[in-house]
Amino acid sequence: MKKDKIALQLYTLRDYLKTPADMAVTLKKVKKIGYDAVQLSGMGPIDEKELLKMLDGEGLTCCATHEPGKTIVEEPQKVVDRLAALKCKYTAYPWPHLGFANGESDVHSLANALNASGKVLYDAGQVLTYHNHDIEFQKFGKKTALDMLYDETDKRYLQGELDTYWVQSGGACPVEW
């Protein structure tokens, strides 16, 4: 795989990203070990301009983010603005923030909300993706929640960010997905 296709998911370093000072030290180390791109997730609060300055200073690109699910579905323009400030095109919906307690109807509601939010991002030249966990592999009839989410959304408005660990944990085959 080409080096420019590999990025570090910063969620794995979340314990070292709690303050802007922590972030500066950690991003320096990330660059030193050879990464050129990062996906922002699990970080403490920081102004986008300050974060972008740190990334640029280390020669790191923000290739994607994980934004709070509630923000994505209720305030998609806020996500558009954040991505633009970070010079980033991609974000992922990280977790079904309302869950699927009411079964299939919750999946349909989430699909509708993601489709609407994804259109806002699409119209801004950005891309909304879905980061799965094992919960999306529960079945409603013959389909998994993840199948339903993709079937019920426009592929322009919702794409995948497949987490193969969670695919397998959910009882599915990562290769097939």
Side-chain angles (χ1 to χ4, degrees):
M1 182 174 278
K2 294 180 181 180
K3 185 179 176 204
D4 69 342
K5 301 294 181 193
I6 298 173
L8 179 65
Q9 167 49 278
L10 289 180
Y11 187 78
T12 60
L13 300 175
R14 63 193 174 277
D15 292 338
Y16 305 97
L17 298 165
K18 295 184 185 290
T19 68
D22 294 341
M23 293 172 205
V25 169
T26 301
L27 292 173
K28 185 176 287 302
K29 290 178 181 180
V30 165
K31 181 62 176 182
K32 187 175 181 180
I33 62 174
Y35 287 96
D36 294 324
V38 293
Q39 179 179 13
L40 304 180
S41 176
M43 302 176 76
I46 186 170
D47 179 77
E48 286 89 1
K49 290 177 185 173
E50 184 179 358
L51 178 56
L52 185 60
K53 186 176 178 181
M54 283 182 200
L55 292 169
D56 287 346
E58 296 304 332
L60 292 168
T61 300
C62 173
C63 64
T65 73
H66 276 194
E67 299 301 321
K70 185 175 180 177
T71 304
I72 290 171
V73 299
E74 293 180 8
E75 301 177 90
Q77 187 59 48
K78 192 174 190 179
V79 176
V80 166
D81 296 342
R82 177 170 159 77
L83 292 177
L86 293 169
K87 301 179 191 173
C88 180
K89 182 177 179 175
Y90 297 91
T91 193
Y93 179 88
W95 179 257
H97 71 290
L98 298 176
F100 302 135
N102 296 313
E104 196 170 335
S105 65
D106 285 345
V107 180
H108 297 304
S109 294
L110 180 58
N112 288 333
L114 291 173
N115 205 54
S117 295
K119 183 179 184 326
V120 173
L121 273 74
Y122 178 84
D123 289 346
Q126 299 168 347
V127 180
L128 176 60
T129 65
Y130 191 94
H131 180 91
N132 66 280
H133 292 83
D134 57 351
I135 188 175
E136 292 88 358
F137 290 92
Q138 65 181 295
K139 288 196 173 187
F140 298 99
K142 294 185 178 190
K143 288 186 172 185
T144 66
L146 194 57
D147 285 320
M148 293 169 61
L149 289 171
Y150 289 136
D151 288 349
E152 295 178 21
T153 54
D154 187 313
K155 65 183 177 182
R156 295 173 299 168
Y157 305 153
L158 186 67
Q159 296 182 17
E161 184 190 67
L162 197 65
D163 187 316
T164 57
Y165 169 83
W166 289 114
V167 170
Q168 187 163 351
S169 178
C173 175
V175 174
E176 290 176 12
W177 270 88

